[in-house]
Amino acid sequence: MSVLAFVMFGCDELHSVTLNVVRADIYMLAYVVGIVGVLSAFLLWVAFRRKIRNGRKEQQFIASQAMLEGKKEERKRLARDLHDGLGGMLSAVKIALVTDDVNLPFLREKINCCIEELARVAHHLMPASLSHFGLKAALKDYCLSFSNVEFHFFGEDRRFDERVEFEVYCCACELVNNSFKHSGATNIDVQLMLTNDRVMLTVYDDGCGFDKTLASKGAGLKNIKDRIAVFNGKIDINTSPGNGTETNIELKTEI
């Protein structure tokens, strides 16, 4: 073998070794990059899961606080109803009893008023039709107590968790009450739709409407939003001054 051939052979061998070393380095670099990528993805996944977990805990805390606040407001309202309504009527009965000339027809009228007021307070707390027959029957009975409130039902009449039924019932009562007190409505329409896993309530009135940016912090609307927040529900209010108000509430729940 000539010297030139030997040198060329040595160069080929060196080139081959160099290529193998470079190829090995590339494989090692790719392996390291892959490991780093997998670890980065895993750490991002862990951080994402932790963020979701913390978000759920915060959401549960907010919901529990809203429920406690709602219960506190209910106690205040109940105390006010008993004191201002039933308490005043019973005081009148007491005064009538201690007089020398007892007016029996007057007493009978006042006692009947006391009974009606007590029934009204009890009905607002938990109407018998709600606990016995469900949301459809309770809302239908409630709407029938007004001459200008219409009730419409869609879907299949079924029972849901009693807490869901009670909160939706209270929201409907609050919305109807707000329409009477603030909108000057002549007609109110209450619609209830029940599906396999959803409760949808719509209350529409033809009243004066309002500016949502100014009324969003009102106590009545806040109570409704707090009730809905407990079940991660959705509320949508369509209104403007002079155009009536439509409120849509949707809760996704288990039967």
Side-chain angles (χ1 to χ4, degrees):
M1 180 182 294
S2 67
V3 174
L4 180 61
F6 179 79
V7 171
M8 291 180 63
F9 176 78
C11 290
D12 290 341
E13 286 294 321
L14 180 61
H15 181 68
S16 177
V17 170
T18 303
L19 285 178
N20 290 335
V21 171
V22 171
R23 189 179 294 111
D25 289 342
I26 292 174
Y27 288 157
M28 179 61 69
L29 179 61
Y31 178 77
V32 172
V33 170
I35 292 296
V36 172
V38 171
L39 287 175
S40 299
F42 176 74
L43 292 175
L44 287 174
W45 180 80
V46 171
F48 179 71
R49 293 290 298 175
R50 184 176 299 170
K51 184 177 180 180
I52 292 178
R53 191 181 302 113
N54 292 337
R56 286 176 178 172
K57 288 182 179 179
E58 183 180 358
Q59 191 176 42
Q60 290 172 354
F61 174 76
I62 294 174
S64 64
Q65 290 297 109
M67 181 179 290
L68 291 175
E69 186 66 24
K71 289 182 178 179
K72 184 173 72 174
E73 292 299 323
E74 283 293 328
R75 293 190 185 99
K76 289 182 179 178
R77 185 198 58 76
L78 177 59
R80 185 171 59 251
D81 285 351
L82 291 176
H83 178 271
D84 297 343
L86 193 59
M89 294 177 185
L90 290 174
S91 296
V93 172
K94 178 181 177 182
I95 293 172
L97 286 173
V98 298
T99 59
D100 294 333
D101 186 16
V102 177
N103 188 335
L104 291 179
F106 174 79
L107 278 177
R108 187 179 298 110
E109 179 185 355
K110 287 298 179 183
I111 290 174
N112 286 335
C113 288
C114 289
I115 294 172
E116 291 176 1
E117 178 66 13
L118 183 60
R120 184 192 68 81
V121 174
H123 182 81
H124 187 80
L125 289 175
M126 178 59 76
S129 56
L130 180 61
S131 58
H132 293 159
F133 304 109
L135 195 53
K136 175 188 174 183
L139 282 180
K140 183 177 181 181
D141 288 347
Y142 176 75
C143 293
L144 285 174
S145 62
F146 305 99
S147 60
N148 58 340
V149 179
E150 294 288 335
F151 176 72
H152 303 279
F153 176 77
F154 305 94
E156 183 179 351
D157 189 12
R158 60 178 67 224
R159 299 302 303 268
F160 289 85
D161 185 280
E162 62 179 9
R163 295 172 300 173
V164 174
E165 292 183 340
F166 178 72
E167 296 300 338
V168 174
Y169 177 84
C170 288
C171 287
C173 294
E174 186 76 29
L175 289 169
V176 171
N177 185 55
N178 287 346
S179 296
F180 281 127
K181 287 174 60 178
H182 305 299
S183 74
T186 55
N187 295 288
I188 300 173
D189 187 68
V190 178
Q191 298 180 15
L192 177 68
M193 177 179 288
L194 302 180
T195 66
N196 289 334
D197 61 349
R198 281 178 172 82
V199 178
M200 288 164 280
L201 173 72
T202 298
V203 178
Y204 168 79
D205 69 61
D206 60 359
C208 62
F210 59 89
D211 186 342
K212 290 194 293 184
T213 60
L214 299 178
S216 60
K217 295 183 180 180
L221 188 57
K222 181 180 182 301
N223 288 339
I224 294 174
K225 289 182 177 180
D226 287 345
R227 292 181 184 278
I228 299 304
V230 172
F231 299 97
N232 298 319
K234 297 187 296 185
I235 179 170
D236 180 56
I237 302 174
N238 299 309
T239 185
S240 60
N243 292 313
T245 302
E246 180 180 301
T247 304
N248 299 289
I249 292 173
E250 180 178 345
L251 298 181
K252 186 176 181 179
T253 180
E254 297 293 333
I255 298 176

